[in-house]
Amino acid sequence: MDNVTADNRTGAGLDARRRAGIRKTVIVVVVFVVCVFAWTIIGRLIN
Amino acid sequence: MTATTADQHHDHHPTGITRWLFTTNHKDIGTLYLWFSFTMFIIGGLMAMIIRSELFEPGLQFVDPLFFNQMTTVHALVMIFGAAMPAFVGLANWQIPLMIGAPDMALPRLNNWSFWLLPPAATLLIASLFVPGGAPAGGWTIYPPLSIQGGMGVDFGILALHMMGISSIMGSINIIATIMNMRAPGMILMKLPMFVWTWLITAFLLVTCIPVLAGAITMLLTDRHFGTHFFDSSGGGDPVMFQHIFWFFGHPEVYILILPAFGVVSQIIPTFSRKPLFGYTSMVFATATIAFLSFIVWAHHMFTVGMPLTGELFFMYSTMLIAIPTSVKIFNWVSTMWRGSLTFETPMLYAIGMVFLFTIGGFSGLMLAIVPADFQYHDTYFVVAHFHYVIFGGTILGALGAVYFWLPKWTGHMYNETLGKWHFWLTVIGMNVTFFPQHFLGLAGMPRRIPDYALQFAEFNMVSSLGAFLLGLSQIIFLINVLKTIKGGEKASDRVWEGSTGLEWTVPSPAPYHTFATPPVVK
């Protein structure tokens, strides 16, 4: 993370380790959110 | 904690309307959230004025009962999803990157989208007042069967909730990704400022409970329009199941509203006590414990539905357990102040006011947790008094304190201290005059969500309404003070407060458009 672009939109200034970390965090949280939403409804359907 | 000062280059920024529409800058988006929140606070406040005007004296004065019920419902939805939650997301946007030494949020474009979902959602919610049948009127809890039988306004409300929920989830993903991945070198988790810690935990609460609300209102929508019977007893569904699912979301939601306010108070009190926060580690663990417990207490909102005694006992004791980590926090705040070099600038007044008034709300919460007592208090004005002490006394006072605390850093000018103190005292007096008598009304048996009441409740209702008008009017002082500060005033120093510690105070005031392009090193 040596520098950032002027509008900081692309994340191009972030080093690869941080970009990979952000990607991993987003994937884990999104999968979790989808699972909770799905289980709320599926849990009612199978009861 | 020491750090290099921020890079002051790259201070150019776009201008005009496109700056705000397409911005990916965390400070711009924070500002948008805060103004949106204040607008919704005023709209929700005007609805409260209608409610209190109607209740000023017995009999029907200004509005018909259906419209009154729409007002109580939409007031709550606007205040919770439009004012309180966005206020703290705005504070998070402004402060988290500054406090952890990051150049911006981890996902700046998602950040823009999170915000710009809110104005259409709010428009949809308020527009429901003007469709045939009017807005949702069954309370913010949208319980079936009322919500299944309601008009088109309920669909508007459900869609608005979905949009606001998506916005919250995206905001939380961004906050988690930012805190986990964008911290300055040397800033380990146990060095995070408390505001950042409370937001990290709040973001986890949000991604866990908002999908549950989304699931519940999706099923409500299919019950209304697609012939399902999840909650419709005429087709074998179970309306009580909706209550369980709703409160599995609803109770953590209370902590979503209050935990960031705890974080704000944990920043303000050490600053104006000129001492480090007492018991930092215990504060972190108390916050996490409150968050965990919030998921195992939901049925205390529905003791009267007729659940087994074992269930009632479990939810009663688990609810009482929350008093322990909460007391740890209150003890730590008081201990931070103990023998500190205290000064009482406006943010400190708000922080102390918040601790005191939230504690009153906490005590009445303990009363409500007692099953046999709850059978008496349930659905009365005692509950209204309780949650307004928690949400106004805790969340809103915390948010107002945060604005006064960080406004000099945002604008580069000091706010008017005299106006700030007038705003504080009128708000606190107004709040107590409004909500304290409601305890007595509830204990005497006045039900909530009614436009008319028996003569015996007249005096306390009149006092409560007078307090509400004072509370509403006193917010004009806040608006004037903020606008004056943005326009000019005494120049704020970089550090702003004598007792300030933390990375946000190492950048110039006002904070440049781009900060920490070169990450600071935290020792």
Side-chain angles (χ1 to χ4, degrees):
Chain A
M1 197 170 64
D2 299 316
N3 211 339
V4 284
T5 51
D7 66 1
N8 199 38
R9 257 188 277 191
T10 62
L14 299 179
D15 60 41
R17 190 179 58 85
R18 279 177 200 264
R19 270 186 289 175
I22 291 168
R23 198 176 304 126
K24 239 183 274 177
T25 310
V26 171
I27 290 168
V28 169
V29 179
V30 168
V31 168
F32 177 73
V33 166
V34 171
C35 288
V36 175
F37 175 74
W39 178 248
T40 304
I41 297 176
I42 294 166
R44 306 289 74 73
L45 287 172
I46 60 177
N47 268 334
Chain B
M1 186 187 292
T2 59
T4 58
T5 52
D7 189 350
Q8 294 176 33
H9 304 298
H10 306 299
D11 202 30
H12 59 280
H13 53 73
T15 51
I17 186 78
T18 51
R19 169 181 175 183
W20 302 103
L21 279 177
F22 304 124
T23 183
T24 53
N25 181 286
H26 72 101
K27 300 180 185 83
D28 279 353
I29 295 171
T31 304
L32 286 169
Y33 265 109
L34 289 170
W35 278 113
F36 172 82
S37 159
F38 186 74
T39 309
M40 298 307 283
F41 182 57
I42 297 299
I43 293 171
L46 289 173
M47 291 174 182
M49 294 303 111
I50 293 171
I51 293 167
R52 286 313 322 170
S53 299
E54 182 55 55
L55 294 174
F56 186 76
E57 58 185 16
L60 293 177
Q61 270 74 237
F62 304 109
V63 294
D64 63 75
L66 177 63
F67 187 74
F68 182 90
N69 287 342
Q70 292 172 22
M71 283 293 100
T72 54
T73 303
V74 182
H75 160 77
L77 292 171
V78 163
M79 285 302 203
I80 293 168
F81 293 97
M85 287 168 73
F88 282 100
V89 181
L91 292 169
N93 258 292
W94 250 104
Q95 290 307 127
I96 288 176
L98 286 177
M99 292 172 114
I100 64 171
D104 205 311
M105 298 295 278
L107 305 153
R109 278 186 272 211
L110 189 77
N111 207 12
N112 174 291
W113 195 24
S114 302
F115 172 76
W116 281 109
L117 271 179
L118 286 180
T123 309
L124 206 58
L125 183 59
I126 293 163
S128 68
L129 285 162
F130 305 103
V131 299
W140 83 284
T141 50
I142 45 173
Y143 281 173
L146 284 177
S147 55
I148 293 177
Q149 295 158 355
M152 196 200 298
V154 178
D155 301 320
F156 276 51
I158 288 173
L159 194 53
L161 279 179
H162 265 309
M163 290 167 75
M164 289 173 174
I166 292 167
S167 164
S168 291
I169 288 171
M170 293 196 303
S172 304
I173 291 172
N174 212 347
I175 286 168
I176 294 169
T178 304
I179 299 172
M180 299 310 281
N181 298 289
M182 302 280 282
R183 300 192 306 278
M187 181 162 283
I188 56 170
L189 283 176
M190 288 314 280
K191 277 189 183 169
L192 282 179
M194 270 315 294
F195 179 70
V196 181
W197 253 120
T198 52
W199 242 117
L200 181 62
I201 292 166
T202 301
F204 279 113
L205 283 181
L206 275 163
V207 295
T208 311
C209 77
I210 295 282
V212 176
L213 172 71
I217 58 180
T218 302
M219 287 186 277
L220 210 52
L221 204 61
T222 62
D223 272 10
R224 281 172 58 80
H225 296 294
F226 303 111
T228 59
H229 299 283
F230 287 107
F231 308 122
D232 183 358
S233 53
S234 66
D238 183 3
V240 175
M241 177 56 78
F242 179 87
Q243 297 189 25
H244 280 288
I245 301 171
F246 179 86
W247 285 113
F248 187 80
F249 144 79
H251 198 80
E253 171 67 22
V254 176
Y255 294 96
I256 286 163
L257 296 173
I258 200 67
L259 290 184
F262 286 173
V264 165
V265 168
S266 301
Q267 299 298 136
I268 295 176
I269 287 179
T271 303
F272 295 97
S273 304
R274 292 159 181 81
K275 277 174 66 187
L277 182 68
F278 183 91
Y280 171 88
T281 311
S282 64
M283 277 303 216
V284 173
F285 283 101
T287 311
T289 307
I290 291 171
F292 168 74
L293 290 174
S294 74
F295 283 109
I296 58 164
V297 297
W298 75 89
H300 68 214
H301 293 273
M302 35 191 291
F303 279 145
T304 56
V305 297
M307 70 180 84
L309 182 64
T310 325
E312 289 184 338
L313 286 174
F314 172 79
F315 287 109
M316 176 170 82
Y317 289 127
S318 59
T319 303
M320 289 178 168
L321 219 56
I322 297 183
I324 297 170
T326 311
S327 307
V328 168
K329 294 180 93 67
I330 291 166
F331 175 82
N332 284 351
W333 290 323
V334 174
S335 301
T336 305
M337 287 188 272
W338 177 252
R339 293 191 172 172
S341 301
L342 299 180
T343 49
F344 299 95
E345 288 87 343
T346 307
M348 183 63 160
L349 290 178
Y350 271 100
I352 296 172
M354 184 273 192
V355 174
F356 188 77
L357 295 172
F358 171 79
T359 305
I360 294 178
F363 277 133
S364 56
L366 274 177
M367 291 169 71
L368 286 161
I370 303 165
V371 175
D374 184 76
F375 273 69
Q376 171 71 21
Y377 308 146
H378 187 82
D379 254 346
T380 70
Y381 255 83
F382 190 83
V383 180
V384 181
H386 156 70
F387 69 71
H388 279 98
Y389 267 85
V390 172
I391 294 178
F392 200 101
T395 306
I396 302 297
L397 290 199
L400 291 172
V403 171
Y404 282 110
F405 186 51
W406 285 311
L407 195 59
K409 177 56 64 189
W410 302 339
T411 63
H413 303 121
M414 294 304 290
Y415 60 84
N416 184 312
E417 192 65 53
T418 311
L419 281 181
K421 284 182 172 149
W422 269 100
H423 176 225
F424 170 77
W425 285 111
L426 290 178
T427 299
V428 163
I429 292 167
M431 192 217 126
N432 280 287
V433 174
T434 307
F435 298 117
F436 208 81
Q438 294 180 4
H439 290 110
F440 306 132
L441 288 169
L443 291 174
M446 178 173 159
R448 59 191 290 204
R449 295 175 180 140
I450 52 161
D452 191 9
Y453 49 81
L455 271 177
Q456 58 171 327
F457 304 127
E459 286 82 5
F460 281 134
N461 267 299
M462 189 175 281
V463 172
S464 181
S465 292
L466 290 172
F469 301 147
L470 174 67
L471 183 57
L473 285 173
S474 60
Q475 303 319 307
I476 296 170
I477 303 173
F478 175 63
L479 180 63
I480 291 169
N481 207 357
V482 170
L483 291 176
K484 272 168 69 100
T485 312
I486 292 169
K487 222 172 154 195
E490 187 194 332
K491 182 91 184 70
S493 65
D494 293 354
R495 212 170 152 207
V496 182
W497 311 109
E498 190 189 28
S500 305
T501 53
L503 291 177
E504 77 266 41
W505 309 107
T506 64
V507 303
S509 299
Y513 198 61
H514 296 289
T515 38
F516 298 125
T518 306
V521 177
V522 179
K523 289 178 183 161

